[in-house]
Amino acid sequence: MAIAGLISNRNLGSFIASSSSAAHQQRHILSLQATTLKHQLGGHKRRSFGCGMGTRLRFRDNFIKESGGNSKINTSRASYKSEESDGVVDSLPSADGSAEAILVQGNLRPWWQQFPRRWIIVLLCFASFLLCNMDRVNMSIAILPMSQQYNWNSATVGLIQSSFFWGYLLTQILGGIWADKFGGKVVLGFGVVWWSIATVMTPIAAKLGLPFLLVVRAFMGIGEGVAMPAMNNMLSKWIPVSERSRSLALVYSGMYLGSVTGLGFSPMLIHKFGWPSVFYSFGSLGSIWFLLWLKYAYSSPKDDPELSEEEKKIILGGSKPREPVTVIPWKLILSKPPVWALIISHFCHNWGTFILLTWMPTYYNQVLKFNLTESGLLCVLPWFTMAVFANVGGWIADTLVSRGLSITTVRKIMQSIGFLGPAFFLSQLSRVKTPAMAVLCMACSQGSDAFSQSGLYSNHQDIGPRYAGVLLGLSNTAGVLAGVFGTAATGYILQRGSWDDVFKVAVGLYLIGTLVWNLFATGEKVLD
């Protein structure tokens, strides 16, 4: 690795870079003042100078002879050493009385190749989750012109919307098993390609008939169902504990921003090019992501040939990478109270989250008397707040861990905010007098909910990093069931009660989740 940056030292002269095409070698000229060489080298003594990126220059046989105030500088040679290559630096006298060291060998890497490999994995996972929700929410917009074209009634629309969850539920646990056995790269790559193909096939299936459309939507759910377990498996191997919360928060904020992007661009595409364009354009983006995934992603740090030893030490923290899981110890996993704390808390969390995200437009329209356009625009606000506060919570959690607070304490603090925050703001909805305050309460509810990314959503990797995919598959299955049952139960409650009753049920489950989490959750490893 070549010299990167200025050599900084006391009284060290200016750094001058020049290049020559001779022998196709880069030359870097270091201008070293004669007085500086005398001071640093100390006559005939050897001295090493540290130079950024792990390089160093060691000057040999440099000396300065002075006579009558006139200095005579002798030509010398210096050795150049780096972690990746060896080279030679020649020192030559210059016209102004300074010595110039010329780097003969070296190889300067551009900044993007110096970007941490683990964060490339995080950004690729972020992009996959962005596509995941873009492809999921486009149907909620496109279903309106589709139902008009094909004369679907409300029951048929509900059947189409729910068919996604048939496949989504099927691969939650399976996706975790596959990821833990075969690696997250293979499984997540498969998932993105699968759901992208299903997205592109949606207009074709709709033309063929309702049964074909239901099958394609279920297939799409199969692909998206493996995304979260596979991602969790990847990050459990790539991300050290000190960066776990912020990395997961960034990845999950991709889902929120995907919803914002999908809800924002779908109406424009439908207006200009028709509803099929939404599925064709969004689905085709998966192919671009997949090419980048094949080039840069690896299931484990030990599989990446370009990973530096320094970064590998940061990731592994002195421990040895483990072999892929061959057998899932189901009895052991299900015997651990922290695992059940995850499952129950995930159910309680998703009940309230799915209700807000599914029924929010109806609440805005029926209770706050907003028109449908205003309701749609305001539905984007919670996704924005969740994206922002998920990352804020991630940085706070990692900062607390780096300052010595136990992981258990940090996870309990963050998840308690993720439960009690929404519970408080939902309980205030019956007391607010203006629509603006109601919208503010909803946004604050979802913003505090996003702290869960640094609570229960980070805990799978804490308690069982080898089985992180399976653990997330288990808990997210409970979370999806909460969404399915909670959405249906809300409709039933509204037929016989009011919105206050809906919010009371959600608040009650948030409080139960808080109690279970603080009693049984831990940040320590319980599965090895």
Side-chain angles (χ1 to χ4, degrees):
M1 195 184 301
I3 298 175
L6 299 179
I7 297 180
S8 57
N9 218 323
R10 290 179 308 167
N11 304 323
L12 193 61
S14 60
F15 176 80
I16 306 172
S18 66
S19 61
S20 171
S21 60
H24 303 286
Q25 295 175 329
Q26 289 185 328
R27 294 175 176 265
H28 296 270
I29 299 177
L30 302 174
S31 177
L32 306 174
Q33 299 297 332
T35 54
T36 303
L37 282 174
K38 178 181 178 181
H39 176 77
Q40 297 292 350
L41 298 177
H44 296 280
K45 294 181 180 179
R46 295 180 181 179
R47 179 72 180 266
S48 297
F49 293 90
C51 184
M53 306 301 294
T55 62
R56 64 183 184 274
L57 293 173
R58 187 172 65 251
F59 291 88
R60 295 198 300 260
D61 303 327
N62 286 286
F63 61 92
I64 301 173
K65 295 180 179 179
E66 295 187 356
S67 175
N70 297 322
S71 61
K72 179 180 179 182
I73 304 176
N74 286 357
T75 302
S76 63
R77 289 180 62 83
S79 295
Y80 166 79
K81 299 285 186 182
S82 76
E83 293 179 356
E84 295 181 6
S85 62
D86 290 339
V88 175
V89 179
D90 286 336
S91 180
L92 303 174
S94 65
D96 60 358
S98 63
E100 295 175 343
I102 303 175
L103 177 64
V104 176
Q105 294 180 357
N107 166 21
L108 185 62
R109 295 176 63 193
W111 67 267
W112 59 85
Q113 292 183 8
Q114 300 172 24
F115 193 77
R117 300 287 292 183
R118 64 189 184 277
W119 282 95
I120 292 176
I121 299 295
V122 171
L123 290 176
L124 286 170
C125 289
F126 166 87
S128 71
F129 275 47
L130 184 80
L131 294 176
C132 178
N133 263 31
M134 283 176 63
D135 291 342
R136 186 189 301 187
V137 303
N138 58 12
M139 178 59 84
S140 64
I141 304 295
I143 196 71
L144 298 174
M146 290 174 72
S147 60
Q148 293 176 356
Q149 179 176 335
Y150 296 110
N151 296 317
W152 294 332
N153 57 31
S154 299
T156 303
V157 170
L159 183 65
I160 295 170
Q161 295 277 42
S162 65
S163 60
F164 169 86
F165 290 100
W166 305 345
Y168 192 72
L169 272 172
L170 183 65
T171 53
Q172 287 296 312
I173 296 177
L174 285 176
I177 295 173
W178 293 338
D180 290 342
K181 284 189 175 183
F182 306 117
K185 176 179 179 177
V186 175
V187 178
L188 184 55
F190 157 80
V192 175
V193 170
W194 186 276
W195 87 57
S196 297
I197 293 173
T199 301
V200 173
M201 290 293 294
T202 299
I204 301 172
K207 292 178 181 178
L208 293 175
L210 182 61
F212 293 95
L213 180 59
L214 295 177
V215 170
V216 167
R217 291 296 293 174
F219 274 16
M220 183 178 174
I222 288 174
E224 294 205 1
V226 305
M228 290 178 66
M231 176 279 301
N232 216 40
N233 172 277
M234 290 277 290
L235 297 196
S236 70
K237 294 179 171 64
W238 274 96
I239 303 299
V241 174
S242 60
E243 299 173 356
R244 182 170 294 163
S245 296
R246 78 189 78 162
S247 64
L248 282 167
L250 179 60
V251 172
Y252 281 114
S253 67
M255 295 182 69
Y256 310 143
L257 294 176
S259 296
V260 172
T261 305
L263 293 172
F265 281 95
S266 292
M268 293 188 291
L269 289 171
I270 291 173
H271 178 70
K272 289 186 177 181
F273 306 107
W275 64 264
S277 65
V278 174
F279 299 100
Y280 294 142
S281 58
F282 285 11
S284 63
L285 294 175
S287 60
I288 301 174
W289 177 91
F290 185 62
L291 292 176
L292 295 173
W293 185 250
L294 287 178
K295 183 176 181 180
Y296 295 109
Y298 294 90
S299 292
S300 167
K302 67 182 179 63
D303 299 328
D304 189 347
E306 297 185 15
L307 185 67
S308 67
E309 288 298 322
E310 181 182 358
E311 186 173 3
K312 188 177 291 185
K313 290 178 182 178
I314 294 174
I315 294 170
L316 298 177
S319 62
K320 295 181 179 180
R322 296 182 178 273
E323 296 299 317
V325 175
T326 55
V327 178
I328 307 297
W330 291 108
K331 186 175 181 180
L332 176 64
I333 289 174
L334 296 176
S335 68
K336 300 295 184 180
V339 173
W340 285 102
L342 267 176
I343 294 172
I344 295 171
S345 298
H346 209 146
F347 181 92
C348 295
H349 170 267
N350 276 29
W351 182 285
T353 301
F354 271 86
I355 286 176
L356 290 179
L357 297 180
T358 305
W359 287 93
M360 198 179 302
T362 305
Y363 176 80
Y364 286 158
N365 180 252
Q366 293 182 355
V367 178
L368 304 183
K369 305 303 180 183
F370 294 149
N371 60 42
L372 292 178
T373 302
E374 292 172 328
S375 298
L377 291 174
L378 290 170
C379 283
V380 174
L381 183 60
W383 295 109
F384 270 121
T385 57
M386 292 178 81
V388 171
F389 282 98
N391 287 284
V392 170
W395 281 97
I396 292 174
D398 283 345
T399 300
L400 293 175
V401 170
S402 66
R403 292 186 177 180
L405 206 61
S406 72
I407 298 175
T408 299
T409 302
V410 171
R411 297 289 177 251
K412 289 185 176 181
I413 291 173
M414 303 309 285
Q415 190 54 50
S416 294
I417 296 173
F419 278 143
L420 297 178
F424 171 77
F425 288 111
L426 288 181
S427 66
Q428 300 305 305
L429 280 173
S430 60
R431 296 179 172 86
V432 297
K433 304 299 182 182
T434 63
M437 287 301 297
V439 171
L440 181 62
C441 281
M442 296 288 264
C444 291
S445 172
Q446 292 305 93
S448 53
D449 176 278
F451 279 76
S452 299
Q453 310 303 336
S454 303
L456 74 88
Y457 282 94
S458 298
N459 194 233
H460 309 83
Q461 299 178 25
D462 297 329
I463 66 174
R466 287 196 76 198
Y467 309 103
V470 170
L471 291 172
L472 183 60
L474 277 172
S475 70
N476 203 42
T477 297
V480 174
L481 289 174
V484 173
F485 294 143
T487 302
T490 298
Y492 180 82
I493 292 171
L494 290 176
Q495 287 181 343
R496 293 162 176 78
S498 65
W499 281 99
D500 284 347
D501 298 323
V502 172
F503 295 142
K504 285 177 182 177
V505 173
V507 169
L509 286 171
Y510 279 136
L511 295 177
I512 292 173
T514 304
L515 182 64
V516 171
W517 183 257
N518 282 281
L519 286 177
F520 300 107
T522 181
E524 305 301 320
K525 185 189 295 185
V526 298
L527 297 168
D528 199 0

